[in-house]
Amino acid sequence: MFSTAKTELRELVQLIAETEWYDATLAAKPDIQPTGVSRAERQRKEHRKLELMNKYELI
């Protein structure tokens, strides 16, 4: 149980970092037009973040 939680919480931290970096890049450079693939990947990561946050009662 603990090893699963540890792995998933590390994943959560990584997902948060990646999505924040993605969002900050787009905010800093509005001329960048994200592709459909990158938007879909961003959405997938957000969904997984919410899944993990709900699982560990972080929201």
Side-chain angles (χ1 to χ4, degrees), residues 33-51:
Q33 294 299 315
T35 65
V37 171
S38 68
R39 283 192 302 264
E41 180 65 9
R42 170 64 175 83
Q43 189 173 26
R44 182 197 67 77
K45 289 178 181 179
E46 187 67 30
H47 182 264
R48 180 64 176 153
K49 275 179 15 181
L50 292 172
E51 213 173 66

Side-chain angles (χ1 to χ4, degrees), residues 3-59:
S3 64
T4 300
K6 185 176 176 182
T7 300
E8 288 180 338
L9 291 172
R10 281 188 178 156
E11 178 188 1
L12 177 58
V13 169
Q14 183 65 35
L15 289 168
I16 290 169
E18 289 173 9
T19 56
E20 291 301 316
W21 179 79
Y22 179 90
D23 293 347
T25 300
L26 291 180
K29 298 184 179 195
D31 56 309
I32 295 175
Q33 294 299 315
T35 65
V37 171
S38 68
R39 283 192 302 264
E41 180 65 9
R42 170 64 175 83
Q43 189 173 26
R44 182 197 67 77
K45 289 178 181 179
E46 187 67 30
H47 182 264
R48 180 64 176 153
K49 275 179 15 181
L50 292 172
E51 213 173 66
L52 290 170
M53 290 173 77
N54 280 326
K55 179 177 181 176
Y56 292 102
E57 300 177 2
L58 298 171
I59 55 173

